[in-house]
Amino acid sequence: MKNSVQRKMLGFLVVFCSLILSLSGCAKDEEADTAAAVSEKKATLAFPWSPTSLDPHGNDSWEVMRSGTAETLVKLNEELEVTPWLAKEWTQENDKTWVFKLEENVRFHNGKTMDAASVKESLMRSLEKDTKVKDLLQVESMEVLSENELKIVTKQPNAALAAHLADPSTIIADVATIEEKNSYPALTGVFKFKQFTKDEDLIVERYEDYWGTQALLSEVTIKFIPDGNTRLMALQSGDVDAATDIPIDNISLLKKNETFDVLTAPSLRTHLLLFNMNSPLFKELNLRQVIDRSIPREDIILSIMMGQGTEAKSPFPEILPFGKGEREETKGSVEQLMEQSGWKKNPDAIWEKEGKAFEITLLTFPQRPELTVMAEAIQSELLAKGMKVNIRQVENIDEALINDEWDLSMYSMLTAHTGDPQYFLNIFYRSDSEANISHYASSHLDDMIDELNRTVDSTKRNQLALQIQEVINQDLPQSFIVHPKTVFGVRNNVKEFTPHPIEYYYIHSQIDVTK
Amino acid sequence: MKKTPYSWDASLIVGINLLIIIVLIGLLAPWISPHDPLKVNLSNRFVFPSWTYPFGTDHLGRCILSRIIYGIRISVAFAFLIMIVTFIISLPIGLITGYWRARANHFFMRLIDGTLAIPDIVLTIAIVGMLGPGFLNMMIAIILVRWASYVRFIRSLVLKICEEDYILSARMSGNTHARIMRRYILPVTFSPLVIFGALDMGKIVLLMAGLSFLGLGAQPPTPEWGAMLRDATAYFQIAPHMMVFPGVAILLFVLACQLISDRFKKLNAADLKEV
């Protein structure tokens, strides 16, 4: 009897002790959990494009910027106004002279302090590596005034200099680290590179010594998934927490599922159709007009874009002050235009000239799936009008545009990512620009662009930009189709990962993941 | 006395009927198909199967049933064409290399061994990759890949036939080599070749569909079954019908070919045993 009481007591003691122990364990765990939650939250994002290297200057600058690791002297806000970033303020002393005052306490990812000398060195390298930057900035000389002051003198008055310093190709980097083989470039962003595997993923981690607000996430993995559908499925299966550029047709799928949010925002992008002005057919304005008129824009916006975009009348979206261009109304029907150019319909109802049927090649690419559907819609429309179109899908559109024979190509451009028309007009339309992929050459237009580059007053600049677009719409080196919206698919526990009109500011310190 | 080999059984009847129906539908396409297979109607995208569109519509609002019907003309007709051309190329080679077992044969046989060593689809992709995507290039590639197995098959048939006594008798009674090949060897190879051809039709259709699926064969807007499947991949979650129907079409055609050739294969094996 006594024994059993003792045993009961002992049992009670054991249970009691273990309960206390386990409770205290719990408390400890919880504490550890909250501490870990601050520092150990990670997110995985899916982006379509992979950089070929992490060199911040040159062709990969956009993708490097997109990873949240890099910063420029200035930044554009959602209204596309220039705001301070690495430069806290700047003054324009005269037409050609600017003084930028830099943020203090900025450290590169290798711990080195950023000063005016290192900024100068970095800008020098971008000028050297990228002819586009040279054209944009028109820098004559740079001078280090003090530890945190840099003077930039331009060759000609360059009103958009500050805005152009927001271009990712002017990322500020510690130049000495870029060419090093055993380490990643040291930049200044809120995240720093951890590991990069080309075409697969880029892992970035929080930079503890960041000069501004620390990142909420400790690590972000960016997976590069070029195919839109695969990106969507990665999101659905939980492989990634968010994905950019979701195929528009599949939005409904995500909307049906409560765990996902679909975020859209107007972009500064234009989907367009490029004419190869070197192709024998499209040297002729008449034929370009025929194609331009045959694009079923309304159907495309309503059905292919499902309303997620607005009709494009000029390269710049209408939300911009210089984006109110109007499409040139052409006179005469398609038949009249074709006959004017000496084409006749053959018995198969296909246009023919000197015994050769009208047959053209149209390039398209898989990264933006809606472009391929548009290409097929345009193909069908043209076939109904007696023009044969062969669609060719290529993996790397930019390479194909340089190397291959083509007549037409689907394309998509971010046209005003510096919040200013000058950049796009210079790189896309100047006869001597490498990025002028339509091979459009007009000395009249070159003069107008020069004038724009010289003009300082913003109303006058906008007016000039509109006049330039008028000439473009008359000469028609491209057909503008639609200004699409940017579509993100996001798991609803991901916070603050939202579409920004400027496509490379997606990753920032405030992105967070809740449980 | 040989018993007649062509006793009918269910699988053969099903196979032949299926094939006849498919071919008939293909021939009568303009009269049966409810819509124009190329007619784009953007306001009618991804319509689910309904009375107007029995198989639904695709990403451009085109009628899938009409596209499948017209697809018969492309898949089946071109598979047939590829088969015939391959026969025309490999029949003489097979006959001659089987009949005269000269040393030059070795060269051919090694070449064939080499071709056969690489899987069909891999080799065709490589060839189309070099020639560039397109229907004609795809056909050339398939012929370049398939001829080897045809030659090998024909040669093995000829080798076997040449062992027969009646060939010896024919030779002894003064027939020329050309005449022996034409009169005594060629007719005997006919029946096995039909089986081989029927089976291969199915394989060729699959190969064509595979290449078009990869974007190397038929280019848009051609209503080829493989190309239709390719189109469907981007939308299989919102419009599964785009994927199901072309898939079923390919399945039925290949099944018909298999059923027919299977039956003949069994008969042929029985024949050979009796011999």
Side-chain angles (χ1 to χ4, degrees):
Chain A
M1 187 70 190
K2 207 179 171 188
N3 240 350
S4 84
V5 170
Q6 261 178 350
R7 229 180 283 149
K8 267 186 192 165
M9 286 289 280
L10 198 72
F12 179 75
L13 208 71
V14 167
V15 169
F16 184 71
C17 285
S18 59
L19 204 73
I20 287 185
L21 275 176
S22 68
L23 274 177
S24 68
C26 263
K28 253 191 188 160
D29 276 357
E30 244 168 49
E31 258 170 47
D33 261 4
T34 42
V38 176
S39 62
E40 291 308 321
K41 278 193 279 188
K42 296 177 182 182
T44 309
L45 312 173
F47 284 8
W49 316 90
S50 168
T52 50
S53 75
L54 294 181
D55 188 336
H57 303 141
N59 290 336
D60 295 313
S61 56
W62 281 49
E63 274 71 35
V64 170
M65 191 82 187
R66 238 171 242 184
S67 65
T69 52
E71 288 169 329
T72 44
L73 288 182
V74 299
K75 188 177 186 174
L76 300 172
N77 63 12
E78 298 217 6
E79 282 74 46
L80 307 179
E81 293 151 351
V82 185
T83 57
W85 210 2
L86 287 176
K88 59 180 171 190
E89 56 192 69
W90 54 93
T91 46
Q92 189 171 4
E93 308 215 312
N94 59 40
D95 270 6
K96 298 181 186 173
T97 313
W98 299 66
V99 174
F100 288 85
K101 205 173 238 175
L102 305 174
E103 278 290 345
E104 289 137 35
N105 308 322
V106 178
R107 281 166 187 273
F108 289 111
H109 294 156
N110 56 358
K112 214 179 121 186
T113 316
M114 181 193 82
D115 55 14
S118 51
V119 170
K120 180 184 165 184
E121 227 181 312
S122 174
L123 288 177
M124 291 294 276
R125 188 172 183 274
S126 349
L127 288 167
E128 227 171 82
K129 289 281 279 189
D130 202 335
T131 46
K132 187 182 72 195
V133 179
K134 219 169 164 182
D135 296 342
L136 275 176
L137 304 184
Q138 313 253 358
V139 172
E140 164 99 24
S141 67
M142 279 189 276
E143 195 187 326
V144 178
L145 294 182
S146 72
E147 204 181 322
N148 286 312
E149 275 182 315
L150 182 70
K151 183 164 92 174
I152 300 180
V153 182
T154 57
K155 286 176 197 155
Q156 296 150 10
N158 184 356
L161 181 76
H164 287 170
L165 284 171
D167 187 275
S169 34
T170 65
I171 289 171
I172 304 301
D174 182 9
V175 171
T177 61
I178 297 176
E179 306 285 345
E180 250 175 56
K181 284 209 172 98
N182 299 325
S183 68
Y184 295 117
L187 312 176
T188 61
V190 66
F191 291 100
K192 64 177 192 179
F193 299 123
K194 186 177 177 192
Q195 194 194 323
F196 171 60
T197 320
K198 188 180 164 241
D199 294 327
E200 254 175 57
D201 56 16
L202 168 63
I203 303 173
V204 297
E205 59 186 350
R206 181 197 297 139
Y207 179 43
E208 305 288 350
D209 285 334
Y210 183 61
W211 61 276
T213 322
Q214 285 268 320
L216 296 173
L217 293 175
S218 68
E219 193 175 292
V220 177
T221 304
I222 303 165
K223 289 196 174 181
F224 303 112
I225 308 179
D227 180 69
N229 219 34
T230 319
R231 218 155 45 235
L232 172 80
M233 285 191 286
L235 179 66
Q236 287 173 314
S237 69
D239 283 350
V240 300
D241 299 309
T244 66
D245 305 277
I246 296 291
I248 290 164
D249 287 314
N250 288 310
I251 290 179
S252 58
L253 273 177
L254 291 183
K255 281 192 173 158
K256 259 186 247 163
N257 193 328
E258 281 177 7
T259 41
F260 300 110
D261 288 329
V262 177
L263 310 172
T264 58
S267 72
L268 300 175
R269 186 165 275 291
T270 307
H271 288 340
L272 43 91
L273 184 68
L274 297 173
F275 294 106
N276 184 353
M277 307 267 280
N278 283 351
S279 122
L281 289 174
F282 293 116
K283 274 188 183 130
E284 239 177 292
L285 176 64
N286 266 3
L287 293 187
R288 298 200 296 273
Q289 282 175 341
V290 164
I291 305 284
D292 183 61
R293 304 186 64 170
S294 306
I295 298 173
R297 288 187 176 81
E298 260 173 49
D299 279 349
I300 285 177
I301 291 159
L302 258 175
S303 309
I304 298 175
M305 301 299 297
M306 304 205 159
Q308 303 288 350
T310 49
E311 188 179 332
K313 294 173 178 161
S314 73
F316 302 115
E318 282 185 25
I319 44 170
L320 296 163
F322 48 88
K324 311 257 186 282
E326 276 301 318
R327 228 193 342 270
E328 190 75 8
E329 283 303 317
T330 43
K331 292 176 193 86
S333 64
V334 168
E335 261 79 26
Q336 284 166 339
L337 286 168
M338 290 300 278
E339 275 160 13
Q340 266 175 25
S341 301
W343 293 82
K344 284 198 179 78
K345 269 205 172 164
N346 70 10
D348 300 334
I350 297 288
W351 293 99
E352 212 178 67
K353 189 175 178 179
E354 290 153 6
K356 267 179 111 179
F358 190 105
E359 197 170 353
I360 49 177
T361 308
L362 166 58
L363 299 184
T364 162
F365 52 100
Q367 283 86 350
R368 299 190 180 277
E370 66 273 20
L371 287 185
T372 306
V373 185
M374 280 180 211
E376 285 183 73
I378 292 169
Q379 176 191 43
S380 139
E381 197 70 30
L382 288 175
L383 188 68
K385 293 198 165 108
M387 289 164 264
K388 266 193 212 161
V389 181
N390 301 316
I391 291 182
R392 206 149 61 76
Q393 176 138 324
V394 294
E395 261 327 294
N396 187 333
I397 185 70
D398 292 304
E399 231 166 63
L401 287 174
I402 296 168
N403 301 328
D404 293 13
E405 283 186 11
W406 55 281
D407 302 294
L408 295 175
S409 175
M410 302 305 296
Y411 206 63
S412 180
M413 277 294 277
L414 192 60
T415 52
H417 72 282
T418 54
D420 188 272
Q422 187 178 332
Y423 174 88
F424 179 71
L425 295 175
N426 270 287
I427 64 150
F428 215 59
Y429 292 104
R430 278 195 73 94
S431 2
D432 54 358
S433 165
E434 265 176 48
N436 181 347
I437 36 186
S438 283
H439 307 291
Y440 168 57
S442 152
S443 53
H444 175 48
L445 196 85
D446 286 350
D447 293 342
M448 289 175 84
I449 294 175
D450 283 341
E451 201 187 329
L452 175 76
N453 297 351
R454 280 193 302 269
T455 311
V456 181
D457 179 61
S458 67
T459 341
K460 261 192 201 155
R461 286 173 67 82
N462 291 346
Q463 225 157 22
L464 256 170
L466 284 170
Q467 282 166 14
I468 290 174
Q469 291 173 67
E470 239 171 71
V471 176
I472 290 172
N473 275 341
Q474 272 163 23
D475 288 350
L476 217 65
Q478 294 100 25
S479 277
F480 308 104
I481 304 172
V482 57
H483 303 299
K485 283 188 184 167
T486 309
V487 183
F488 277 16
V490 176
R491 223 160 242 292
N492 51 19
N493 63 343
V494 178
K495 304 292 172 219
E496 292 299 318
F497 182 63
T498 48
H500 190 284
I502 307 290
E503 288 181 7
Y504 38 74
Y505 294 151
Y506 293 160
I507 298 184
H508 49 83
S509 63
Q510 295 309 304
I511 298 178
D512 197 8
V513 182
T514 55
K515 281 197 176 153
Chain B
M1 186 67 194
K2 257 192 198 172
K3 83 174 180 207
T4 44
Y6 301 108
S7 57
W8 295 84
D9 78 345
S11 72
L12 185 65
I13 293 171
V14 172
I16 286 185
N17 279 328
L18 205 57
L19 197 64
I20 290 174
I21 292 171
I22 292 174
V23 171
L24 267 182
I25 294 176
L27 287 176
L28 301 174
W31 293 278
I32 324 179
S33 74
H35 300 271
D36 178 349
L38 300 181
K39 173 85 183 134
V40 168
N41 184 351
L42 288 180
S43 52
N44 241 347
R45 304 173 74 210
F46 308 121
V47 172
F48 268 72
S50 64
W51 285 112
T52 350
Y53 296 101
F55 287 2
T57 63
D58 67 3
H59 62 300
L60 291 169
R62 296 175 297 202
C63 170
I64 292 177
L65 175 60
S66 310
R67 286 177 72 72
I68 287 180
I69 291 175
Y70 274 89
I72 297 174
R73 290 185 156 196
I74 289 162
S75 296
V76 179
F78 282 99
F80 193 71
L81 187 70
I82 289 173
M83 193 185 74
I84 296 293
V85 174
T86 318
F87 265 130
I88 291 172
I89 295 170
S90 38
L91 202 57
I93 300 176
L95 269 180
I96 292 166
T97 53
Y99 189 79
W100 279 298
R101 274 152 271 174
R103 209 170 284 160
N105 274 357
H106 287 297
F107 169 72
F108 259 112
M109 288 307 116
R110 294 300 80 78
L111 185 67
I112 286 165
D113 285 345
T115 322
L116 289 178
I118 308 167
D120 275 10
I121 188 86
V122 176
L123 195 56
T124 13
I125 291 174
I127 295 172
V128 179
M130 278 188 279
L131 297 174
F135 214 85
L136 187 70
N137 291 344
M138 175 180 73
M139 286 171 62
I140 294 173
I142 294 178
I143 292 169
L144 283 178
V145 169
R146 296 301 298 164
W147 75 278
S149 54
Y150 281 55
V151 169
R152 172 149 280 220
F153 182 73
I154 295 166
R155 184 172 180 268
S156 68
L157 277 178
V158 175
L159 281 178
K160 189 170 259 164
I161 295 163
C162 285
E163 302 283 307
E164 301 284 336
D165 293 339
Y166 69 87
I167 301 292
L168 199 63
S169 330
R171 186 71 191 125
M172 286 197 316
S173 38
N175 287 293
T176 59
H177 292 304
R179 190 178 155 82
I180 292 174
M181 277 192 247
R182 206 176 62 241
R183 292 293 300 270
Y184 299 103
I185 299 180
L186 204 53
V188 188
T189 60
F190 183 73
S191 153
L193 281 186
V194 171
I195 306 162
F196 188 77
L199 185 65
D200 209 54
M201 275 280 277
K203 276 192 193 155
I204 292 173
V205 166
L206 265 184
L207 204 54
M208 276 174 33
L211 287 173
S212 299
F213 182 78
L214 295 174
L216 297 171
Q219 298 296 314
T222 317
E224 203 271 344
W225 295 340
M228 290 173 72
L229 275 181
R230 172 189 167 83
D231 286 341
T233 50
Y235 311 105
F236 74 91
Q237 292 194 60
I238 48 168
H241 60 273
M242 270 179 79
M243 182 171 273
V244 171
F245 293 111
V248 170
I250 296 173
L251 176 91
L252 285 180
F253 183 78
V254 177
L255 181 71
C257 293
Q258 284 282 358
L259 286 176
I260 296 169
S261 69
D262 239 29
R263 179 67 191 143
F264 273 109
K265 222 189 261 172
K266 271 182 218 149
L267 290 171
N268 215 42
D271 265 9
L272 290 175
K273 257 182 217 154
E274 268 178 39
V275 171

